[in-house]
Amino acid sequence: MKFYANDIAAPGQRRLRPSFIDEPQFGAFLDAFPDGVALLETDGTIKLVNGKLELLLNLARSDLVGSDLAKHAKTAGPLVQKLAGALRQLKRIEVSGTLNSQRNVTASIGILRTPDGGAYGALLTMRETGRHHRGHARSDHFRFEAEPLPATGGALLTQRLSAIARRAATAVERGSAVLLTGETGSGKTELACFVGKAGASDAPPFVHVNCGMLTDTQFDAEMFGIEPGSALDTSTRGKLGFVEAADGGTLFLDQVTDLSPVSQMKLVAFLENNTFSRLGSMQRRKARLSLVTATNADLPALVASGAFRRDLYYRIAVVTLDLPPLRDQPELVTALTEHVLRRLNAGRTPALQLSPAFVKRLAAHAYPGNVRELTNILERAAAGAEDIALAEHFVVAPDAAPRPSAAPAASGGEAAPQNFRDLVQAFESWVLEKSIAEHGSKRSAAKALGIDIATLVRKTKRTR
């Protein structure tokens, strides 16, 4: 039986380790690994780390190299303490858990030995598990398939959409930024998920950011994260930013036109060379990601009016793809209806059938809300009908119904405005309401109209 000694007892008794360990190229070799990797001395000192491990631990390479692994247990999490304890005993270990950077990982320590059994170091590996999609729950109402299939087979991708999807996937694969435009509910988010392979097994990260939720004060912390242990870090664990979370995958900026001018400026600075700094840190980091953005606003008009930065527009609109509205795709209306009906009937007794009159109304409707509106119409019918949806079960939401003309009625109904000022205010209110309905939010409507959001809110409240 052979016993292995702990070689750190006396320098004269240390085993000779392979010379390639100390070669400069060995660091580049570790950086090629898709998982986090670190080379450790037997006393726990970190000798080399790769970029992926920096990301997983949310710690800079300069803070890791030369330090004791156990020192980072408080910042990175108790899992690191278990790894450091196993290394002290020169034992191999594999553990799973959640780091303080909010990432679920499986980590292991393997002891490196010379041919005669002497330990000269250890290799730490860390693989992230279960992070495919952050900040967005996918809808089952509308999905894209890789190739078009007959409608009876359940595919929801027309020939026109199939071509758009292939162009988007090819552009992202070749490193080009993709801008998705189209009316609200036309499937921009679902196409972005398709391009980013969100939800697929072993898929790269897909991070969905709702830009309307990012204020100027939140932008830096949410987008770029907070350095652990810095003065701005109230949790002592730091904060993982959207950019770092998307590293190696896709960053999807939904409703990018909702970003304020200040946030747009910061986004331009990041996109200039894909580098950033966490809040509380001076170290520049590089993110390797694909960028997909989406908006239902008239972006060229916003650029022309000065509401959207021209330099940002040219960075995100390398490849612009416009999704057609549902009213221009009658074949998709049929496929979607069959798909949603199957989903509804899977949990419904008795199964719902559509009457010819209901189907006729489905085919004739304009669908200003596109896919979302069609889904809502069918769900309302399923809630109100017994086994057959009749024409009276076809109910359109009030905000999606055609709006009345601003011109006063000749007779009957409400009284017409009595003076020029009332007439102007009535027309102005109609324009504001129409713009809000078309752009999906008051902020987007204000940008499209070239007015301040506070002005729009004040004028819409005036009519209530």
Short mmCIF file of all heavy atoms in Angstrom, two decimals, residues 40 43-44 46 57 59 64 68-100 105 107-109 124 126:
data_model
loop_
_atom_site.label_atom_id
_atom_site.label_comp_id
_atom_site.label_asym_id
_atom_site.label_seq_id
_atom_site.Cartn_x
_atom_site.Cartn_y
_atom_site.Cartn_z
N LEU A 40 -4.74 25.52 -8.53
CA LEU A 40 -4.47 25.86 -7.14
C LEU A 40 -3.19 25.20 -6.66
O LEU A 40 -2.84 24.09 -7.08
CB LEU A 40 -5.63 25.41 -6.24
CG LEU A 40 -7.04 25.82 -6.66
CD1 LEU A 40 -8.07 25.10 -5.82
CD2 LEU A 40 -7.22 27.32 -6.54
N ASP A 43 -1.52 24.43 -0.90
CA ASP A 43 -1.85 25.18 0.32
C ASP A 43 -3.08 26.06 0.14
O ASP A 43 -3.43 26.84 1.03
CB ASP A 43 -0.66 26.03 0.77
CG ASP A 43 -0.27 27.10 -0.25
OD1 ASP A 43 -0.90 27.13 -1.35
OD2 ASP A 43 0.65 27.89 0.01
N GLY A 44 -3.76 25.97 -1.01
CA GLY A 44 -4.98 26.74 -1.24
C GLY A 44 -4.78 28.02 -2.01
O GLY A 44 -5.76 28.70 -2.34
N ILE A 46 -4.46 30.42 -5.03
CA ILE A 46 -4.95 30.39 -6.40
C ILE A 46 -3.84 30.87 -7.32
O ILE A 46 -3.37 32.00 -7.21
CB ILE A 46 -6.20 31.28 -6.56
CG1 ILE A 46 -7.30 30.81 -5.60
CG2 ILE A 46 -6.70 31.24 -8.00
CD1 ILE A 46 -8.51 31.74 -5.56
N LEU A 57 -17.97 33.44 -10.00
CA LEU A 57 -17.75 33.91 -8.63
C LEU A 57 -18.04 35.38 -8.46
O LEU A 57 -18.10 35.88 -7.33
CB LEU A 57 -16.30 33.63 -8.22
CG LEU A 57 -15.88 32.15 -8.16
CD1 LEU A 57 -14.41 32.03 -7.74
CD2 LEU A 57 -16.76 31.37 -7.19
N LEU A 59 -16.07 37.77 -9.16
CA LEU A 59 -14.84 38.34 -8.61
C LEU A 59 -13.84 38.56 -9.73
O LEU A 59 -13.79 37.79 -10.70
CB LEU A 59 -14.23 37.39 -7.56
CG LEU A 59 -15.01 37.22 -6.25
CD1 LEU A 59 -14.45 36.06 -5.45
CD2 LEU A 59 -14.98 38.50 -5.43
N LEU A 64 -8.48 37.31 -7.30
CA LEU A 64 -8.42 35.87 -7.06
C LEU A 64 -6.99 35.34 -7.08
O LEU A 64 -6.57 34.62 -6.16
CB LEU A 64 -9.25 35.14 -8.12
CG LEU A 64 -10.77 35.31 -8.04
CD1 LEU A 64 -11.44 34.79 -9.30
CD2 LEU A 64 -11.31 34.57 -6.82
N ASP A 68 -5.83 33.15 -1.06
CA ASP A 68 -6.24 31.85 -0.56
C ASP A 68 -7.69 31.59 -0.96
O ASP A 68 -8.56 32.47 -0.81
CB ASP A 68 -6.09 31.82 0.96
CG ASP A 68 -6.34 30.44 1.55
OD1 ASP A 68 -6.75 29.53 0.78
OD2 ASP A 68 -6.14 30.26 2.76
N LEU A 69 -7.98 30.40 -1.46
CA LEU A 69 -9.34 30.08 -1.89
C LEU A 69 -10.34 30.27 -0.75
O LEU A 69 -11.44 30.80 -0.96
CB LEU A 69 -9.38 28.63 -2.40
CG LEU A 69 -10.75 28.11 -2.83
CD1 LEU A 69 -11.27 28.88 -4.04
CD2 LEU A 69 -10.68 26.61 -3.14
N ALA A 70 -9.96 29.86 0.44
CA ALA A 70 -10.89 29.95 1.58
C ALA A 70 -11.26 31.39 1.91
O ALA A 70 -12.33 31.66 2.47
CB ALA A 70 -10.27 29.28 2.81
N LYS A 71 -10.41 32.33 1.54
CA LYS A 71 -10.67 33.74 1.82
C LYS A 71 -11.94 34.23 1.14
O LYS A 71 -12.60 35.16 1.62
CB LYS A 71 -9.47 34.57 1.35
CG LYS A 71 -9.71 36.07 1.29
CD LYS A 71 -8.56 36.78 0.59
CE LYS A 71 -8.91 38.23 0.33
NZ LYS A 71 -7.85 38.93 -0.44
N HIS A 72 -12.33 33.60 0.03
CA HIS A 72 -13.46 34.09 -0.76
C HIS A 72 -14.77 33.42 -0.41
O HIS A 72 -15.77 33.61 -1.09
CB HIS A 72 -13.16 33.89 -2.25
CG HIS A 72 -11.90 34.56 -2.69
ND1 HIS A 72 -11.78 35.94 -2.78
CD2 HIS A 72 -10.69 34.05 -3.04
CE1 HIS A 72 -10.55 36.24 -3.19
NE2 HIS A 72 -9.88 35.11 -3.35
N ALA A 73 -14.77 32.61 0.67
CA ALA A 73 -16.01 31.92 1.05
C ALA A 73 -17.10 32.91 1.43
O ALA A 73 -18.28 32.72 1.08
CB ALA A 73 -15.73 30.97 2.21
N LYS A 74 -16.74 33.99 2.11
CA LYS A 74 -17.75 34.95 2.54
C LYS A 74 -18.35 35.69 1.35
O LYS A 74 -19.56 35.95 1.29
CB LYS A 74 -17.14 35.95 3.51
CG LYS A 74 -18.14 36.97 4.05
CD LYS A 74 -17.49 37.90 5.07
CE LYS A 74 -18.50 38.91 5.59
NZ LYS A 74 -17.90 39.84 6.58
N THR A 75 -17.50 36.03 0.37
CA THR A 75 -17.97 36.78 -0.80
C THR A 75 -18.67 35.89 -1.81
O THR A 75 -19.72 36.24 -2.34
CB THR A 75 -16.79 37.49 -1.48
OG1 THR A 75 -16.16 38.35 -0.53
CG2 THR A 75 -17.27 38.33 -2.64
N ALA A 76 -18.09 34.70 -2.05
CA ALA A 76 -18.63 33.84 -3.10
C ALA A 76 -19.69 32.87 -2.60
O ALA A 76 -20.58 32.49 -3.33
CB ALA A 76 -17.50 33.07 -3.76
N GLY A 77 -19.59 32.45 -1.32
CA GLY A 77 -20.60 31.55 -0.79
C GLY A 77 -19.99 30.36 -0.05
O GLY A 77 -18.81 30.04 -0.22
N PRO A 78 -20.79 29.68 0.79
CA PRO A 78 -20.29 28.56 1.58
C PRO A 78 -19.78 27.39 0.76
O PRO A 78 -18.98 26.59 1.24
CB PRO A 78 -21.50 28.14 2.43
CG PRO A 78 -22.66 28.94 1.96
CD PRO A 78 -22.18 30.02 1.06
N LEU A 79 -20.23 27.26 -0.47
CA LEU A 79 -19.75 26.17 -1.32
C LEU A 79 -18.24 26.26 -1.49
O LEU A 79 -17.55 25.24 -1.55
CB LEU A 79 -20.47 26.23 -2.68
CG LEU A 79 -20.15 25.15 -3.71
CD1 LEU A 79 -21.41 24.73 -4.45
CD2 LEU A 79 -19.12 25.67 -4.71
N VAL A 80 -17.70 27.47 -1.58
CA VAL A 80 -16.25 27.65 -1.72
C VAL A 80 -15.53 27.17 -0.48
O VAL A 80 -14.42 26.62 -0.55
CB VAL A 80 -15.93 29.13 -2.03
CG1 VAL A 80 -14.43 29.38 -2.01
CG2 VAL A 80 -16.52 29.53 -3.37
N GLN A 81 -16.15 27.33 0.69
CA GLN A 81 -15.54 26.87 1.93
C GLN A 81 -15.40 25.34 1.93
O GLN A 81 -14.39 24.79 2.38
CB GLN A 81 -16.39 27.30 3.13
CG GLN A 81 -15.79 26.97 4.49
CD GLN A 81 -14.48 27.69 4.73
OE1 GLN A 81 -14.40 28.92 4.59
NE2 GLN A 81 -13.45 26.96 5.08
N LYS A 82 -16.39 24.63 1.38
CA LYS A 82 -16.31 23.17 1.29
C LYS A 82 -15.17 22.75 0.38
O LYS A 82 -14.45 21.78 0.66
CB LYS A 82 -17.63 22.62 0.78
CG LYS A 82 -18.81 22.83 1.72
CD LYS A 82 -20.09 22.25 1.11
CE LYS A 82 -21.29 22.49 2.02
NZ LYS A 82 -22.54 21.95 1.43
N LEU A 83 -15.02 23.46 -0.73
CA LEU A 83 -13.93 23.13 -1.66
C LEU A 83 -12.57 23.36 -1.01
O LEU A 83 -11.65 22.54 -1.16
CB LEU A 83 -14.06 23.99 -2.93
CG LEU A 83 -15.32 23.77 -3.78
CD1 LEU A 83 -15.42 24.84 -4.86
CD2 LEU A 83 -15.30 22.38 -4.41
N ALA A 84 -12.45 24.48 -0.29
CA ALA A 84 -11.18 24.79 0.36
C ALA A 84 -10.86 23.76 1.44
O ALA A 84 -9.70 23.36 1.62
CB ALA A 84 -11.23 26.20 0.96
N GLY A 85 -11.88 23.30 2.18
CA GLY A 85 -11.67 22.29 3.21
C GLY A 85 -11.18 20.97 2.63
O GLY A 85 -10.31 20.31 3.20
N ALA A 86 -11.75 20.57 1.49
CA ALA A 86 -11.31 19.33 0.85
C ALA A 86 -9.88 19.44 0.37
O ALA A 86 -9.10 18.48 0.45
CB ALA A 86 -12.25 19.00 -0.30
N LEU A 87 -9.51 20.62 -0.15
CA LEU A 87 -8.15 20.82 -0.63
C LEU A 87 -7.15 20.71 0.50
O LEU A 87 -6.06 20.15 0.33
CB LEU A 87 -8.04 22.18 -1.33
CG LEU A 87 -6.65 22.55 -1.86
CD1 LEU A 87 -6.14 21.49 -2.84
CD2 LEU A 87 -6.69 23.91 -2.55
N ARG A 88 -7.48 21.24 1.68
CA ARG A 88 -6.56 21.15 2.82
C ARG A 88 -6.26 19.69 3.17
O ARG A 88 -5.18 19.37 3.65
CB ARG A 88 -7.15 21.88 4.03
CG ARG A 88 -7.05 23.39 3.96
CD ARG A 88 -7.31 24.04 5.32
NE ARG A 88 -8.69 23.80 5.75
CZ ARG A 88 -9.71 24.61 5.47
NH1 ARG A 88 -9.49 25.70 4.75
NH2 ARG A 88 -10.92 24.33 5.91
N GLN A 89 -7.22 18.81 2.94
CA GLN A 89 -7.04 17.39 3.24
C GLN A 89 -6.57 16.60 2.01
O GLN A 89 -6.46 15.38 2.07
CB GLN A 89 -8.36 16.79 3.74
CG GLN A 89 -8.91 17.48 4.99
CD GLN A 89 -10.28 16.93 5.36
OE1 GLN A 89 -10.49 15.72 5.41
NE2 GLN A 89 -11.22 17.82 5.63
N LEU A 90 -6.31 17.33 0.91
CA LEU A 90 -5.92 16.70 -0.35
C LEU A 90 -6.91 15.61 -0.75
O LEU A 90 -6.53 14.50 -1.15
CB LEU A 90 -4.50 16.12 -0.24
CG LEU A 90 -3.37 17.13 -0.02
CD1 LEU A 90 -2.03 16.45 0.02
CD2 LEU A 90 -3.38 18.20 -1.12
N LYS A 91 -8.18 15.93 -0.66
CA LYS A 91 -9.25 15.00 -1.02
C LYS A 91 -10.00 15.52 -2.24
O LYS A 91 -10.24 16.73 -2.36
CB LYS A 91 -10.24 14.85 0.14
CG LYS A 91 -9.70 14.11 1.33
CD LYS A 91 -10.68 14.18 2.50
CE LYS A 91 -12.06 13.70 2.10
NZ LYS A 91 -13.00 13.77 3.25
N ARG A 92 -10.39 14.60 -3.10
CA ARG A 92 -11.23 14.97 -4.22
C ARG A 92 -12.66 15.14 -3.72
O ARG A 92 -13.13 14.37 -2.89
CB ARG A 92 -11.19 13.89 -5.31
CG ARG A 92 -11.91 14.33 -6.58
CD ARG A 92 -12.02 13.20 -7.58
NE ARG A 92 -12.59 13.69 -8.83
CZ ARG A 92 -13.87 13.96 -9.03
NH1 ARG A 92 -14.73 13.76 -8.04
NH2 ARG A 92 -14.31 14.43 -10.19
N ILE A 93 -13.35 16.16 -4.25
CA ILE A 93 -14.71 16.42 -3.81
C ILE A 93 -15.53 16.98 -4.98
O ILE A 93 -14.97 17.66 -5.84
CB ILE A 93 -14.74 17.42 -2.61
CG1 ILE A 93 -16.16 17.55 -2.05
CG2 ILE A 93 -14.21 18.78 -3.05
CD1 ILE A 93 -16.25 18.44 -0.83
N GLU A 94 -16.80 16.67 -4.99
CA GLU A 94 -17.73 17.27 -5.96
C GLU A 94 -18.98 17.70 -5.19
O GLU A 94 -19.60 16.89 -4.49
CB GLU A 94 -18.11 16.29 -7.06
CG GLU A 94 -19.05 16.91 -8.09
CD GLU A 94 -19.27 16.02 -9.30
OE1 GLU A 94 -18.29 15.48 -9.83
OE2 GLU A 94 -20.44 15.87 -9.71
N VAL A 95 -19.33 18.97 -5.30
CA VAL A 95 -20.47 19.53 -4.56
C VAL A 95 -21.31 20.39 -5.50
O VAL A 95 -20.82 20.90 -6.50
CB VAL A 95 -20.02 20.37 -3.35
CG1 VAL A 95 -19.39 19.51 -2.28
CG2 VAL A 95 -19.04 21.46 -3.80
N SER A 96 -22.57 20.54 -5.15
CA SER A 96 -23.48 21.41 -5.91
C SER A 96 -24.13 22.40 -4.95
O SER A 96 -24.34 22.10 -3.78
CB SER A 96 -24.57 20.58 -6.61
OG SER A 96 -24.01 19.69 -7.54
N GLY A 97 -24.45 23.58 -5.48
CA GLY A 97 -25.09 24.58 -4.64
C GLY A 97 -25.22 25.90 -5.38
O GLY A 97 -24.93 26.00 -6.58
N THR A 98 -25.63 26.93 -4.65
CA THR A 98 -25.83 28.26 -5.22
C THR A 98 -24.77 29.21 -4.68
O THR A 98 -24.59 29.33 -3.46
CB THR A 98 -27.23 28.79 -4.87
OG1 THR A 98 -28.21 27.87 -5.35
CG2 THR A 98 -27.47 30.16 -5.51
N LEU A 99 -24.09 29.88 -5.59
CA LEU A 99 -23.10 30.89 -5.20
C LEU A 99 -23.80 32.19 -4.82
O LEU A 99 -24.97 32.40 -5.14
CB LEU A 99 -22.14 31.15 -6.36
CG LEU A 99 -21.29 29.95 -6.83
CD1 LEU A 99 -20.57 30.30 -8.12
CD2 LEU A 99 -20.29 29.55 -5.75
N ASN A 100 -23.06 33.06 -4.18
CA ASN A 100 -23.63 34.37 -3.84
C ASN A 100 -23.89 35.22 -5.07
O ASN A 100 -24.60 36.22 -4.99
CB ASN A 100 -22.70 35.12 -2.88
CG ASN A 100 -22.73 34.53 -1.48
OD1 ASN A 100 -23.58 33.69 -1.18
ND2 ASN A 100 -21.80 34.93 -0.64
N VAL A 105 -24.37 25.98 -9.41
CA VAL A 105 -23.19 25.36 -10.02
C VAL A 105 -22.96 23.97 -9.43
O VAL A 105 -23.43 23.64 -8.34
CB VAL A 105 -21.92 26.22 -9.80
CG1 VAL A 105 -22.07 27.58 -10.45
CG2 VAL A 105 -21.60 26.35 -8.32
N ALA A 107 -19.44 21.97 -8.63
CA ALA A 107 -18.00 22.25 -8.56
C ALA A 107 -17.26 21.03 -8.04
O ALA A 107 -17.81 20.22 -7.29
CB ALA A 107 -17.73 23.46 -7.66
N SER A 108 -16.00 20.91 -8.45
CA SER A 108 -15.19 19.79 -7.99
C SER A 108 -13.74 20.24 -7.80
O SER A 108 -13.28 21.19 -8.43
CB SER A 108 -15.24 18.64 -9.00
OG SER A 108 -14.65 19.02 -10.23
N ILE A 109 -13.06 19.54 -6.91
CA ILE A 109 -11.62 19.70 -6.69
C ILE A 109 -10.97 18.37 -7.04
O ILE A 109 -11.36 17.32 -6.52
CB ILE A 109 -11.31 20.07 -5.23
CG1 ILE A 109 -11.71 21.51 -4.93
CG2 ILE A 109 -9.84 19.83 -4.91
CD1 ILE A 109 -10.73 22.54 -5.43
N LEU A 124 -9.55 23.12 -9.83
CA LEU A 124 -10.93 23.41 -9.46
C LEU A 124 -11.73 23.63 -10.74
O LEU A 124 -11.32 24.41 -11.59
CB LEU A 124 -11.00 24.64 -8.57
CG LEU A 124 -12.38 25.08 -8.06
CD1 LEU A 124 -12.24 25.84 -6.75
CD2 LEU A 124 -13.12 26.00 -9.06
N MET A 126 -15.81 24.38 -12.21
CA MET A 126 -17.13 24.84 -11.78
C MET A 126 -18.01 25.00 -13.01
O MET A 126 -17.69 25.75 -13.93
CB MET A 126 -16.99 26.19 -11.04
CG MET A 126 -18.20 26.60 -10.24
SD MET A 126 -17.85 28.06 -9.20
CE MET A 126 -16.86 27.32 -7.89
#
